[in-house]
Amino acid sequence: MMTTIVNRLSFIAILCIMAAVTCIGLVNGVMGENPYITVNPVETKSIGDMIILSGETNLEEGTRLFITLEKAGCNSGTVVIRGNNTENRWVAPIDSWGIKPGEYLVNVTEVKGYNLIKTEHIYGDVNANTPLVLTGTFLGSDTSIPVKGQEHAFITLDPIPDKKTGDLFLITGKTNLSVGTDIIWEVRPTILDTGIEISGNPDLSGIMANSQVTRETGINRVSLALNTYVFNPDEYNVSVSTIEGEIFGTDMKTGPVSDFKIFTLKNESPSETKTKS
């Protein structure tokens, strides 16, 4: 399990559960060439956009990368995917709804592994960065709002159509919870909810993430950017819920306000990045 711990005001912390994901190492480029990562320039974005970060690398297919928006309290993870005969590539979607307008630096770093207790990454020396300008009106909150006292609260996720591996898209939903309320997401194979015993070395994958309720006209919003390059083809349960206890504390658990949706991720090896909403 890859666990990313950030402060409680962070917009999103990806906890990638890459359980027994099988990746065939593919070394593209010239043998003996120094490892590198590049980040493609990002045009100015508006709050509400899904930001697609991308770049090239000669790191092996399946190498894990850690991505941060410096001073935005936003981080994510992705993996190197197969490119052409000379370079591999990577992509990562970022949901901008909870980020403040401003100038940021996108940092991409190779992940070599984890410490012994699986709480921190061990980073490699291969990294790159590029500036990002985000304009518009802040739709989040500087203060984390407790769910206590929010009577008759609800979260309703929008339906999720079936997807193909390589799709980058936003999971969205509506809520009457206050802006700034902490929420937690889990995307996991539905077989884990059936009680069927899992044995051997199954190709199971999923993520957990935290975010906050953001503002939208008429009713508030929950959203999560999903990068299906880090998933195996499977049927997935997407759940979102409020949090009880201190976020990232030992007493943290899912709260009573929740919803879920099911979608199927089908196998495809796209030749280029696809973006869907």
Side-chain angles (χ1 to χ4, degrees), residues 176-206:
N176 61 352
L177 290 164
S178 299
V179 173
T181 303
D182 289 318
I183 54 176
I184 192 164
W185 299 82
E186 184 173 11
V187 183
R188 54 187 273 147
T190 55
I191 193 172
L192 297 178
D193 301 318
T194 63
I196 296 176
E197 184 177 351
I198 305 297
S199 60
N201 189 27
D203 289 341
L204 302 180
S205 57

Side-chain angles (χ1 to χ4, degrees), residues 28-30 33-39 55-60 65 80 84 86-88 90 110 125-128:
N28 288 339
V30 179
E33 184 181 14
N34 291 332
Y36 66 84
I37 300 174
T38 68
V39 186
E56 287 71 45
T57 180
N58 63 350
L59 294 172
E60 292 185 5
L65 305 177
V80 174
N84 56 31
T86 59
E87 287 183 310
N88 286 329
W90 63 271
E110 175 193 13
D125 296 326
V126 186
N127 57 76

Side-chain angles (χ1 to χ4, degrees), residues 15-116:
L15 316 181
C16 295
I17 304 176
M18 300 292 289
V21 175
T22 301
C23 292
I24 300 174
L26 175 68
V27 182
N28 288 339
V30 179
M31 185 67 69
E33 184 181 14
N34 291 332
Y36 66 84
I37 300 174
T38 68
V39 186
N40 295 325
V42 184
E43 63 182 15
T44 298
K45 296 292 184 179
S46 299
I47 291 174
D49 291 341
M50 185 172 71
I51 304 166
I52 305 298
L53 304 175
S54 64
E56 287 71 45
T57 180
N58 63 350
L59 294 172
E60 292 185 5
E61 179 185 4
T63 301
R64 297 178 188 179
L65 305 177
F66 187 64
I67 301 163
T68 62
L69 266 62
E70 190 174 285
K71 299 181 180 179
C74 175
N75 61 62
S76 184
T78 191
V79 295
V80 174
I81 55 180
R82 183 175 302 194
N84 56 31
N85 291 330
T86 59
E87 287 183 310
N88 286 329
R89 60 195 182 96
W90 63 271
V91 294
I94 300 292
D95 181 4
S96 67
W97 277 80
I99 306 176
K100 290 182 177 181
E103 297 183 9
Y104 299 102
L105 192 66
V106 178
N107 291 297
V108 183
T109 304
E110 175 193 13
V111 177
K112 301 290 286 187
Y114 311 95
N115 63 3
L116 292 176

